Amino acid sequence: MTLDPIHVENIARLAYGIGGDVDATDHDDLAERVWREWLPELRRDGRVVLAALGDHERHRAAIDDVALAERPFEAVHGLDSGTINPTTFKNGLVVDVAHAAMASSPTDLDLHRDRTIVATVHAGDSTAGFDSEWTRRDEGHTKQRVLHVPRVNRYAERVVHALALYLAEGTHALDHADRVEDLLVLDGPIYPKELFTWGDRDPELGALAREAKPRAVIETYVRLVERFVERDVPLAGFVKNPASGTAVRALSRAGVESPWPDDTALFTRLLERREPYGAAGDGEFTDDDRGAVRGARLDDDLTFTTWFRSRGGADAPMAADGDALGVDRELDPELYEPTFMVVYDPRTDLTYKLEAPYAFTRDAGTRERLTRQVVAEVAATRGPPEPVAKADALARISASEKAALRRKFEERLGSDQQATYDDLRWGKETY
């Protein structure tokens, strides 16, 4: 059965009741006040969690012009990791497989052939053991291993997924670091932030993050930063779906009633440009409508912020006063601190974040080059930088490939997947 027209109309009318109580002009005014008064140096319980790095400004650039602008970095590499997603089997095993690849622009086919593959497995049986050493296949172009993850009472799927994804990505990046001459951009954050949030989700997960195997994954990223600092080659991360709540939580703690669910919504509000209220329409609305009616979005320019240092939320462990979850840092701890800038594309109404360690962005010239690079790439591609998109395409495991790989595991393990009703309902498998 589907909704009848009367049902659609009745549901739509609910929007009027919701929208009538929200004044968009008030949100705009609050966003501007947050930008001016709070974001230059935002504190939580007296500790700085967000601070402007250099100038505290917002900029815009004509899309057509910047898309054709010369890139500051000539040879750029991108790196991504894809998984089959956690799969539970009837024998109690929970398995995920991650597959990492590096791409380059200009294209390097020999590099594109190299892969790092990690299978992670969680077993309810404490006597089982599945760990293996790294091995090489495909004439040395593929490096792979099995990682038996620490046992947990809950969140087994979350654990196998995160450890597979980050171990494959971090290992591949570190192994191929010397192939990068100008710039490496990870598809996602510069650190395995999912592991850093485990402590906020559950005490058991928080303790697990400090165990040897998760800590070894974190150490891979710490060593990656050190390798790139040693070689004086910038390392960055392009975050397609930023999910931080550091700013809005700190504002709430300071008594500012934030209408935004997360930092992405706040920055989108700060960077979105619109015509004056009613300018795109016929002007036939009353003062009561003004809070809900916004002018048309202007889409001729990309807008972006300058850079911030981040020491709160998932970034706290890598702050200078954090402990990196027990991983030793060979450089000044301040150099590992995450920094970021935000860019907004009005054509797609999407907000992206570019991250880099402070070791690189402390230099104003490097910040400016990274900004110019990412703004030009987003303008040209209407999405991630070309090397990141290439790496995503190389690492992605299609739906049919995932199904085939799961069947291989069923055969090898002698156990079927644990099916759910949603698998049948949504046609994930053929029954």
Side-chain angles (χ1 to χ4, degrees):
M1 295 180 64
T2 58
L3 294 174
D4 292 334
I6 185 61
H7 302 143
V8 175
E9 176 62 23
N10 289 340
I11 293 172
R13 286 184 177 277
L14 295 176
Y16 293 103
I18 298 170
D21 293 332
V22 178
D23 190 338
T25 58
D26 288 346
H27 291 184
D28 289 341
D29 293 342
L30 177 59
E32 292 299 325
R33 186 165 70 86
V34 167
W35 176 263
R36 293 191 310 270
E37 300 177 12
W38 294 91
L39 288 186
E41 187 175 87
L42 184 59
R43 294 175 178 269
R44 179 172 180 175
D45 299 330
R47 179 177 178 271
V48 175
V49 295
L50 206 65
L53 183 57
D55 296 332
H56 180 58
E57 298 174 341
R58 286 169 290 176
H59 298 277
R60 66 184 190 185
I63 291 175
D64 291 343
D65 293 340
V66 75
L68 300 174
E70 184 177 353
R71 307 293 195 268
F73 298 94
E74 293 184 5
V76 180
H77 290 71
L79 192 142
D80 192 20
S81 181
T83 78
I84 67 170
N85 294 331
T87 305
T88 301
F89 294 88
K90 292 179 180 179
N91 63 3
L93 298 183
V94 183
V95 176
D96 202 354
V97 179
H99 163 252
M102 180 181 284
S104 64
S105 180
T107 297
D108 179 346
L109 293 179
D110 190 53
L111 173 67
H112 290 191
R113 182 179 173 183
D114 289 351
R115 306 299 165 92
T116 299
I117 302 174
V118 174
T120 48
V121 56
H122 178 276
D125 182 357
S126 60
T127 64
F130 301 97
D131 277 321
S132 72
E133 299 297 325
W134 289 107
T135 59
R136 292 278 183 178
R137 299 181 67 86
D138 186 23
E139 300 179 353
H141 286 280
T142 296
K143 180 178 179 179
Q144 61 187 50
R145 69 165 295 188
V146 175
L147 179 72
H148 188 166
V149 307
R151 187 181 178 191
V152 290
N153 293 319
R154 296 189 297 164
Y155 305 111
E157 291 188 349
R158 183 183 298 276
V159 171
V160 297
H161 178 72
L163 293 184
L165 181 75
Y166 290 127
L167 180 58
E169 179 187 82
T171 300
H172 200 74
L174 192 57
D175 286 348
H176 293 78
D178 293 343
R179 302 284 291 269
V180 181
E181 298 177 356
D182 290 340
L183 172 66
L184 173 62
V185 184
L186 304 180
D187 189 340
I190 54 174
Y191 295 116
K193 294 187 181 181
E194 172 71 16
L195 276 61
F196 295 157
T197 66
W198 281 0
D200 296 330
R201 299 179 186 276
D202 184 89
E204 184 186 18
L205 275 181
L208 177 67
R210 294 179 177 274
E211 291 192 15
K213 289 177 180 177
R215 196 169 65 247
V217 173
I218 297 169
E219 183 176 3
T220 300
Y221 285 81
V222 171
R223 302 294 167 248
L224 182 67
V225 171
E226 292 165 355
R227 176 77 64 82
F228 275 78
V229 171
E230 178 186 359
R231 300 181 62 240
D232 195 25
V233 175
L235 167 70
F238 186 83
V239 186
K240 293 177 286 191
N241 296 296
S244 173
T246 299
V248 295
R249 285 195 296 267
L251 288 169
S252 177
R253 196 69 170 260
V256 178
E257 188 175 343
S258 169
W260 307 287
D262 54 31
D263 293 358
T264 301
L266 168 60
F267 278 104
T268 299
R269 194 70 169 210
L270 287 166
L271 293 173
E272 185 184 43
R273 297 168 54 246
R274 288 184 176 269
E275 294 178 346
Y277 287 85
D282 56 12
E284 295 295 330
F285 59 89
T286 68
D287 288 342
D288 291 337
D289 298 321
R290 186 172 297 276
V293 178
R294 306 192 73 200
R297 185 168 58 244
L298 301 175
D299 62 1
D300 52 340
D301 292 340
L302 289 184
T303 51
F304 51 97
T305 69
T306 45
W307 287 77
F308 295 88
R309 296 173 75 161
S310 179
R311 304 186 183 105
D315 292 327
M318 296 308 301
D321 58 357
D323 70 348
L325 296 191
V327 175
D328 291 334
R329 288 172 283 188
E330 298 178 359
L331 306 175
D332 182 344
E334 185 181 46
L335 299 181
Y336 299 86
E337 290 192 335
T339 67
F340 71 91
M341 57 84 65
V342 178
V343 58
Y344 172 71
D345 188 344
R347 298 168 298 179
T348 55
D349 193 26
L350 291 176
T351 301
Y352 306 109
K353 178 193 284 188
L354 183 70
E355 295 187 351
Y358 179 64
F360 303 109
T361 56
R362 60 179 172 167
D363 175 67
T366 302
R367 293 199 303 271
E368 191 268 341
R369 293 168 66 211
L370 288 170
T371 299
R372 284 171 49 204
Q373 184 78 26
V374 74
V375 170
E377 288 285 337
V378 170
T381 67
R382 297 174 67 98
E386 181 186 5
V388 172
K390 283 184 175 181
D392 177 85
L394 290 174
R396 185 185 304 124
I397 303 174
S398 69
S400 60
E401 290 168 337
K402 291 177 181 179
L405 288 170
R406 290 188 184 115
R407 286 194 294 270
K408 290 290 186 182
F409 273 96
E410 286 181 323
E411 295 171 5
R412 181 66 184 87
L413 298 175
S415 178
D416 294 335
Q417 299 175 54
Q418 181 63 57
T420 67
Y421 177 71
D422 283 346
D423 294 330
L424 175 61
R425 182 183 185 190
W426 302 113
K428 293 181 182 178
E429 299 287 351
T430 301
Y431 289 87

